[in-house]
Amino acid sequence: MSVWAVLAAAGSGERLGADRPKAFVRLGERPLLAESLERLDASGWVDEIVVAAPPGWEEPVILLAEELGCSKVSSCVTGGKTRGESVRLALAEVPDDAAVVLVHDAARPLVDDEVIERVVTALGEGWEGAVPALPVADTIKRVEGEQVVETLDRDGLRIVQTPQAFVAHVLRAALAGDVSGASDCASVVEAAGGRVKVVPGDPRLLKITDAADLERTAALLVA
Ligand code: CTP
Ligand code: MG
């Protein structure tokens, strides 16, 4: 069973506000992308990797992969306008005989083998997709303007992360439609009727959105 990883790294990182795309902002001594790239490459669960790069940054992505000795990187594509489009463009480089696609955001650098194992093995149980998730600690309310309209039951809610694993042909079919509004791949698969399992996530898989997230993750890296 071949597992192809798609690494979504094409975002501009507007909220981080750096002088370069988020994937190339420093985390410790290295570009942010180095962390997830090296970890996916080292994973025994991953066979090949396709990276979606920010427009104009394809060459630096390939150089970085070479520098790190990431031999599983098979290609690098120019990303699209949205995350969904970037994943779709990268998926076009995944061969038809690939069984599983693991989609991961470069914005979550601290991916490890255990969470990859949890999502990939769920597919062996017959699920069409699997996502890592954490319980919700805060109370979540739905609002309209300034007014609270509803308090949701947090027992039934989860914070969902990447990496997310999918049966390759299921993801391909789901991404063929309109993906512009999707914030993750599982939502597109769910909307197409796919059965997606939730497995335990990892609190270290923080998503880097702003400068404070970068500091928190850098602290975890040296801990
Ligand atoms: N992403 C992508 N292609 C896009 C937009 C996002 O591959 N057109 C990727 C990002 O590189 C990131 C992940 O999707 O790894 C999650 O996106 P997000 O955290 O929103 O990153 P950015 O879009 O770069 O940040 P911002 O929204 O602040 O501009
Ligand atoms: Mg974004």
Side-chain angles (χ1 to χ4, degrees):
M1 185 184 80
S2 63
V3 178
W4 281 66
V6 163
L7 186 53
S12 59
E14 213 163 295
R15 288 168 290 180
L16 198 52
D19 61 353
R20 64 194 71 185
K22 185 153 67 183
F24 283 91
V25 163
R26 299 268 135 194
L27 174 65
E29 305 283 288
R30 311 192 297 175
L32 178 68
L33 176 64
E35 207 57 46
S36 52
L37 199 54
E38 195 172 64
R39 287 160 178 261
L40 289 175
D41 197 82
S43 172
W45 293 95
V46 173
D47 296 307
E48 304 271 354
I49 303 168
V50 181
V51 183
W57 290 77
E58 303 82 355
E59 200 66 33
V61 167
I62 290 164
L63 288 175
L64 178 65
E66 280 171 5
E67 224 175 270
L68 296 170
C70 293
S71 57
K72 295 179 184 173
V73 175
S74 76
S75 58
C76 172
V77 301
T78 309
K81 284 207 169 60
T82 64
R83 180 189 184 277
E85 285 171 35
S86 294
V87 173
R88 180 159 52 198
L89 290 164
L91 199 57
E93 298 297 313
V94 174
D96 286 339
D97 61 2
V100 170
V101 177
L102 185 76
V103 184
H104 185 60
D105 287 343
R108 298 184 194 271
L110 303 185
V111 56
D112 76 8
D113 236 22
E114 286 168 26
V115 72
I116 296 173
E117 174 171 6
R118 290 196 288 275
V119 291
V120 172
T121 55
L123 303 188
E125 298 162 6
W127 295 86
E128 292 168 311
V131 298
L134 298 176
V136 176
D138 296 307
T139 298
I140 309 275
K141 294 185 192 294
R142 211 162 56 75
V143 299
E144 275 167 25
E146 292 186 310
Q147 192 179 341
V148 172
V149 289
E150 192 187 358
T151 300
L152 302 173
D153 177 9
R154 69 182 173 200
D155 288 346
L157 297 174
R158 295 290 181 274
I159 295 165
V160 172
Q161 306 174 316
T162 69
Q164 303 185 345
F166 302 95
V167 172
H169 69 85
V170 171
L171 181 64
R172 234 185 268 274
L175 287 181
D178 177 25
V179 294
S180 54
S183 60
D184 77 348
C185 290
S187 59
V188 185
V189 170
E190 294 152 28
R195 294 178 321 110
V196 177
K197 184 181 187 183
V198 218
V199 304
D202 183 343
R204 289 170 52 97
L205 266 176
L206 288 177
K207 182 169 175 213
I208 292 178
T209 302
D210 58 27
D213 300 327
L214 204 54
E215 279 169 32
R216 271 192 288 272
T217 298
L220 285 175
L221 206 54
V222 295

